Amino acid sequence: MSEILLHNTLTNRIEPLAPIHPGEVRIYTCGPTVYSFAHIGNFRTFIFQDVLRRFFRLRGLRVLQVMNITDVDDRIINNATAAGVPIREYTEKYIKAFLEDIDALHIEMPEELVRATDHIDDMVVLIEKLQAKGLTYQSDGSIYFRIAKFPSYGKLSKIDVSGMQAGARVDVDQYEKDDARDFALWKSPKPGEHFWETPIGRGRPGWHIECSAMAMKYLGDTIDIHTGGVDLAFPHHENEIAQSESATGKPFVRLWLHAEHLIINGQKMSKSLGNFYTLRDLFAKGSKPSTIRFLLLSVPYRRQLNFTEDGLVQAKNSVERLRNFVTRLKDEQFAAGSNPDIQKRIDKAEADFDAGLADDVNTARALAAIFDLVRDINASMDRREFLQQDAPRAVAAMEKFDSVLALLADDDDEKLRGLGIAAAKQQLQPAQIEALIEERNASRRRRDFKRSDEIRQQLSDSGILVEDTKDGSVRWKYR
RNA sequence: GGCGCGGUCGCCAAGUGGUAAGGCAAAGGUCUGCAAAACCUUUAUCGGCAGUUCGAUUCUGCCCCGCGCCUCCA
């Protein structure tokens, strides 16, 4: 097996993965800020890191992934204040929604899902460490990190910050800073605002310190991989580096992986353009979870993904093809024996799939390997060259692929129902469906095809596809 | 202006210095009572110009176009 290569934003090169702890990859992922429902772009990033961790596991590596939940920031405070509830209460519903969303998309739970507000003490300790080293200063009760004390500032994003001036396009944050580039580690409370009483004063943590504190607490001073959306490289990740490396004197992260953004019909997603979608929006409009997952993972993560209606249709049909194939493998009867060529073919597909993912998570290549296999095996089944012993092997290969892709389980309907979303057209109960199919079977037996076709049409109108198989049995599924 | 990404078949998209994977869609066939599924066949010379080379879509330069970041943002 080839070594796993990943693009490192820090060096702008493709580099081999070399875990610090042999056999275990430690990953920190910037999770959602729970001031609202996560949008579809967020999930592009989360699905990327899910594919990444699943691939590591397929390779036999252990994964220790930490994802944070930012449950305190300006928007949350403002919204909670407006709603007249404590921030913890305000964020609860969005955390719950987030968990439901990732479950619907088959995104695995990280080993540690941690909330910022549960780690205030850790952040305070880290800030104190920076204070002790003389890297900070106070202003109006807030504590800032002095960028000038960290000479390599900018190394991740390659941004030359020397030209940044206060007032220009830089948020002066309504506080007095010595240098526009400096960022807040700790913010003093505005009147009426929620605050924590700590040794470094009253207030709340800055956004960047939370990730540094939690990442190092759970993963150590130097972590293997840190992921996030491209927009986070500056300033968020840059600031994480400055804080963490100043505090420990060690490299903070070995590999920085940044997922490109998703755009909608060629335009940036934004509320003002009216093209801002949450997952639930798309589900409500009829998309299946598996469709979204396929679409979001089908384009390699470092490539911008243009999200379109057309793309949804294509993704849906592609998933269908994969599922149909597995159904055929399991349902069809094959002649006894095994075909050595088939095993070779499967081995090749597995090797290609692995090589694709090992090449900086090239999901397009990995998918091509699968579709190649699907076509070849379908053809060999048609030619009767595919034998009984081959079937379980092919199924096992598909399951192996699916341990990374997670698209085959036909549980879309169940997931949607779990979210309280059911397609309006699916009004028939399973018992009614079975009854109609039984009537259709009877019609067919007496060759009353007019009646049988009527019934199929009726079911079709309710979103149910009826298929007659070669062996005479009939099966149905939601479309 | 700085930094970065991209422009490959109708759509999505991989890829290599020696004439281009895969998926979706479309058309025509095979199969089917009809469908569905599946299979077969058909459909590109890789934004433009110049250069390097025996040979470039793949390297270099310039240009055009799209997008992102540089301020909160996955």
Side-chain angles (χ1 to χ4, degrees):
Chain A
M1 275 189 293
S2 46
E3 60 185 348
I4 297 174
L5 301 175
L6 296 165
H7 177 268
N8 187 0
T9 308
L10 191 60
T11 57
N12 197 24
R13 304 174 80 114
I14 302 287
E15 297 176 9
L17 171 71
I20 294 165
H21 304 82
E24 177 174 277
V25 188
R26 300 193 176 184
I27 308 171
Y28 185 83
T29 302
C30 285
T33 300
V34 285
Y35 68 102
S36 178
F37 292 105
H39 61 250
I40 185 68
N42 292 305
F43 290 108
R44 206 278 244 248
T45 303
F46 296 139
I47 284 180
F48 155 62
Q49 52 84 8
D50 183 57
V51 168
L52 182 72
R53 61 155 16 238
R54 285 169 174 270
F55 174 55
F56 290 158
R57 294 242 312 278
L58 179 62
R59 276 295 191 100
L61 293 161
R62 287 190 307 281
V63 169
L64 176 54
Q65 181 191 12
V66 174
M67 180 188 281
N68 73 302
I69 288 184
T70 300
D71 59 352
V72 52
D73 87 326
D74 289 339
R75 290 165 296 183
I76 289 169
I77 290 171
N78 291 341
N79 291 1
T81 303
V85 297
I87 60 172
R88 192 94 184 176
E89 185 180 318
Y90 176 80
T91 55
E92 204 60 57
K93 104 180 226 210
Y94 295 113
I95 291 175
K96 179 170 173 288
F98 177 69
L99 296 177
E100 290 169 352
D101 285 351
I102 63 173
D103 175 67
L105 290 175
H106 285 279
I107 292 172
E108 292 183 334
M109 273 295 278
E111 283 63 30
E112 299 284 349
L113 186 69
V114 294
R115 298 175 61 157
T117 55
D118 287 335
H119 294 78
I120 302 293
D121 292 348
D122 300 295
M123 299 175 211
V124 168
V125 168
L126 183 55
I127 293 170
E128 286 175 324
K129 213 166 170 179
L130 295 171
Q131 284 180 318
K133 293 194 173 195
L135 307 175
T136 67
Y137 60 92
Q138 296 212 20
S139 176
D140 291 345
S142 292
I143 302 171
Y144 294 92
F145 184 91
R146 198 182 290 283
I147 291 292
K149 296 279 190 182
F150 191 71
S152 63
Y153 190 81
K155 64 183 175 182
L156 179 70
S157 54
K158 320 291 187 288
I159 283 174
D160 177 8
V161 291
S162 62
M164 286 172 64
Q165 299 295 322
R169 298 183 66 203
V170 178
D171 178 17
V172 294
D173 219 6
Q174 298 170 7
Y175 301 107
E176 284 303 311
K177 292 194 280 189
D178 288 4
D179 185 321
R181 304 169 298 166
D182 294 337
F183 57 91
L185 296 165
W186 188 256
K187 296 185 173 186
S188 64
K190 293 168 190 164
E193 234 174 49
H194 181 87
F195 62 83
W196 281 264
E197 188 77 57
T198 75
I200 56 173
R202 289 182 170 183
R204 60 192 169 87
W207 175 36
H208 316 296
I209 198 71
E210 93 180 43
C211 285
S212 285
M214 294 192 286
M216 293 194 289
K217 172 172 184 172
Y218 292 96
L219 301 175
D221 291 347
T222 301
I223 64 185
D224 295 312
I225 291 174
H226 191 133
T227 68
V230 279
D231 55 300
L232 294 187
F234 186 89
H236 184 51
H237 294 333
E238 202 73 73
N239 292 349
E240 281 186 53
I241 290 174
Q243 297 162 341
S244 305
E245 299 194 349
S246 294
T248 67
K250 301 175 197 164
F252 176 46
V253 169
R254 288 202 166 169
L255 293 171
W256 285 95
L257 272 41
H258 289 104
E260 252 301 342
H261 276 179
L262 174 154
I263 57 177
I264 307 269
N265 293 124
Q267 286 187 301
K268 183 176 178 174
M269 176 166 46
S270 77
K271 285 180 177 160
S272 56
L273 286 171
N275 62 357
F276 189 94
Y277 298 114
T278 66
L279 247 204
R280 285 145 201 257
D281 292 337
L282 295 170
F283 291 158
K285 287 171 65 180
S287 289
K288 297 180 179 186
S290 61
T291 301
I292 307 287
R293 183 171 171 103
F294 184 96
L295 179 55
L296 296 189
L297 66 70
S298 66
V299 178
Y301 79 100
R302 284 203 297 133
R303 192 178 171 121
Q304 231 173 228
L305 190 160
N306 191 12
F307 191 90
T308 62
E309 197 66 38
D310 226 35
L312 285 170
V313 172
Q314 295 175 17
K316 177 174 183 290
N317 291 335
S318 299
V319 172
E320 273 304 301
R321 179 165 170 83
L322 296 175
R323 290 182 178 174
N324 285 337
F325 174 65
V326 175
T327 300
R328 185 176 183 192
L329 284 175
K330 289 179 174 171
D331 288 2
E332 201 161 306
Q333 298 297 312
F334 307 105
S338 74
N339 180 343
D341 289 341
I342 296 291
Q343 188 57 51
K344 276 189 214 153
R345 187 62 195 80
I346 290 172
D347 290 345
K348 181 184 183 319
E350 290 188 354
D352 290 348
F353 177 79
D354 179 85
L357 291 177
D359 176 18
D360 198 25
V361 201
N362 190 331
T363 45
R365 262 182 74 185
L367 284 171
I370 299 174
F371 282 109
D372 276 336
L373 181 72
V374 168
R375 176 178 19 75
D376 287 351
I377 287 190
N378 268 324
S380 63
M381 287 193 283
D382 284 358
R383 280 186 260 109
R384 308 256 165 211
E385 291 167 7
F386 188 87
L387 305 175
Q388 210 171 64
Q389 309 291 322
D390 300 327
R393 292 173 183 160
V395 170
M398 290 303 284
E399 283 170 354
K400 189 186 255 190
F401 301 146
D402 204 51
S403 72
V404 176
L405 303 180
L407 295 165
L408 294 180
D410 193 358
D411 58 3
D412 291 305
D413 221 54
E414 183 190 316
K415 294 291 188 194
L416 289 176
R417 269 199 274 271
L419 292 176
I421 300 166
K425 60 185 180 182
Q426 294 171 7
Q427 321 102 336
L428 293 178
Q429 300 301 311
Q432 296 175 282
I433 296 167
E434 293 298 344
L436 282 164
I437 285 179
E438 190 38 57
E439 188 192 340
R440 177 169 172 277
N441 288 343
S443 306
R444 292 183 72 217
R445 276 194 293 274
R446 61 173 189 269
R447 301 191 66 78
D448 180 357
F449 296 122
K450 182 164 178 298
R451 179 59 191 148
S452 70
D453 286 350
E454 275 172 15
I455 295 171
R456 176 155 57 198
Q457 187 57 48
Q458 181 186 349
L459 286 164
S460 176
D461 292 344
S462 302
I464 287 146
L465 180 68
V466 180
E467 293 179 343
D468 303 322
T469 63
K470 279 203 178 90
D471 63 23
S473 66
V474 178
R475 62 168 173 247
W476 63 271
K477 62 187 175 189
Y478 291 111
R479 279 193 302 173

